[in-house]
Structure formats: C-alpha cells, structure tokens
Amino acid sequence: MKQRTLGRTGQRVSEIGFGAWAIGGTWGEVSQQDAEAALHAALDAGITFIDTADVYGDGRSEKIIAGVLNQRGGERPFVATKLGRRLSPHVADGYNASNLNAFIDRSQENLQTDTLDLVQLHCPPTEVYYNPEVFAVMDEMVAAGKIRHYGVSVEKVEEGLKALEFPNVSSIQLIYNIFRQRPAELLLREAKRRNVGIIARVPLASGLLTGKMGPDSQFAADDHRAFNRNGEAFDKGETFSGVPYEVALEAVEEIRRFVTGNTTMAMLALRWILMNEDVSVVIPGAKNREQAEANARASDVDALSEETMTALKQIYQEKIAPHVHQRW
C-alpha cells in the first residue's frame, strides 16, 4: 500500500483509505459482522486512514471502528470524523461553541479516545465559511487537546477555496471522481500550494463506477440511492455524484472499454483519482470483506496512460459536465 502525506498534519497515510459511511447506515442493510469484517480486511491490507462521521448510523460507524481497533490493539490508524449534521435544523447558527464541543465529546466517547485525530465540519451551510468564530472554536479545541487537527468537508469548490483562507484548516474533503472533475481545475492545486490535505470522497459515484449497475438495479428503502436522487434528504450531489442515473449509465459503458486485464472498473476509477498527486487519500466505502480487499488493491494498479486520461476527460466533458460542472 503506497503512502501519501495528509497536508500540514504531516501524517503519512495510505493512499487508499476506508470510508465508513456504509457501515453506519443509509446504504442498505450491513450487518455488524460484515461491517467488522470489512474494516478488518482494510486494515489487514495496509489501510491506515479511516473516515467516519457522528451521523453515520447515529454513532454506529464510530462505535464499530472503536470496537475493531480495541480488538486489534497495536498502532492505531489515523481516524477522521465529522460533526455538524446532527443539528436539526441544520443551520449556520448551530455551529457554535456549545454545540461543537458537545459533538466532540460524543465522538470521543463513541471512538473511545481522549483526542480525536481529525475533525471535519460536515458540509455546513455556506455561511459557516464566512464566520471566523467557528474556526476559532476549532482552534480552541486543538489548544485544549480535544482534537489534533481539523478540516472541512465541502459540497462546492467555492466553499473549499474559502476554507483555505483559514490558516489552521488541515484538510478539505470533497467529491472528486471521473464524474466530478471540476476540483482539479483550481481547488486541488491551491490546496497543495497551501499544504492542505485533500480527501477524495464518493470516488465510485455511489457505485456507478463499479460498472455493476444497470437500468433495473434496485436499492433498499433505507439506501440513499433510492431516496435521495433529487436531494430529498441531503445534497443530491452525494448520490451518484449528482449525475442523472440514465446519463451516468451511458457514460459507464463508454468507460468500460478502458478496463483491461485483471483490473476492474472500480480499480480504474480509484486509480484515476490517484493520478492526481494533489490528492492525499481516497476513501471508497465497503460493506463487506471482499469490497474492502478490492478497494485496497487499487493502490497496485499501474498508472493510466495519457491517452486513457484524455479519453476519460472527454467523456466527462461531453456526457457529464453539463449536469454537474457548474453546480458544485
């Protein structure tokens, strides 16, 4: 497993991380046994970065991670969590010292640690990025030893660029994949210049870029791919990267011709992200051992050719960009 540095944290992490949303909830049923097996497999494969959030299963994801890490013992991986989405209503005023400290305390309890490695504001309202007091609260929590580093998880490129203005933001998490290429135009480069880590989420476009979905694919009622296609529950860009399902399926068929040898489409999609050296870590999710092992193997995939990269950019520009490029 190859390693990269997570921005100004200075932490070396595996370039493939473990996205722990699916083991928490809203991806259909994932048993405790499968969730634990997926996490064990990821760690066995050399993954040293785990990304979770306090709302993933209302703490279930964090608690599963704590249980597995305590069972394994030894050196702990770097665990990033998020806060803010437990607010109801989810409004900018809720990002205050009282609420943020309460969220931190809860995540510390769930993850069974006195100091959280990295805490990210979890896709807050855009106004939060214009409120220095919020970032001052995060600075105070670092000074108090409650957290080591903090960052932001953003919906929009513009939010990421604004976050870079705060000097102690250590990382930016954002959607970056073959179906969401705009961040590479400016944001990733600016983050690298300022030594801010980039965590690439939704790398497989909610599974579309595995190449295993079709027009008749069915999703469980509690799977966001069934209930959030138009943003009914949260930002629609989190589901299938905001691309209309039928349009995405057409693009997937064009991408399929670049999958060769023992490489799967999912591995190709993950390798495409890693071709950008400004990315610190990519965090595919896994609902079982097999998915976690397959994700980890993407670190061994050969670099994509210039011809393939050009072709994938053209597919994006012609098929996908009109639907997503200026929205996020």
Side-chain angles (χ1 to χ4, degrees), residues 44 46 63 277:
D44 289 343
K63 291 174 182 177
E277 295 181 355

Side-chain angles (χ1 to χ4, degrees), residues 112-130:
Q112 299 179 31
T113 183
D114 293 330
T115 305
L116 298 168
D117 292 331
L118 174 68
V119 175
Q120 304 154 91
L121 304 181
H122 197 175
C123 299
T126 301
E127 307 96 276
V128 168
Y129 299 99
Y130 292 84

Side-chain angles (χ1 to χ4, degrees), residues 210-228:
T210 66
K212 296 179 179 179
M213 295 181 183
D216 300 323
S217 294
Q218 299 293 313
F219 304 97
D222 61 344
D223 188 325
H224 72 99
R225 294 172 292 184
F227 65 76
N228 191 60

Side-chain angles (χ1 to χ4, degrees), residues 258 268 271-272 275 301-309 312:
F258 299 101
L268 173 80
R271 183 61 208 173
W272 181 90
M275 291 294 291
V301 173
D302 291 338
L304 304 183
S305 69
E306 184 176 344
E307 292 78 12
T308 296
M309 293 296 289
L312 294 176

Side-chain angles (χ1 to χ4, degrees), residues 11-26:
Q11 182 75 33
R12 295 287 287 175
V13 298
S14 54
E15 64 181 10
I16 303 288
F18 183 89
W21 183 10
I23 66 171
T26 61

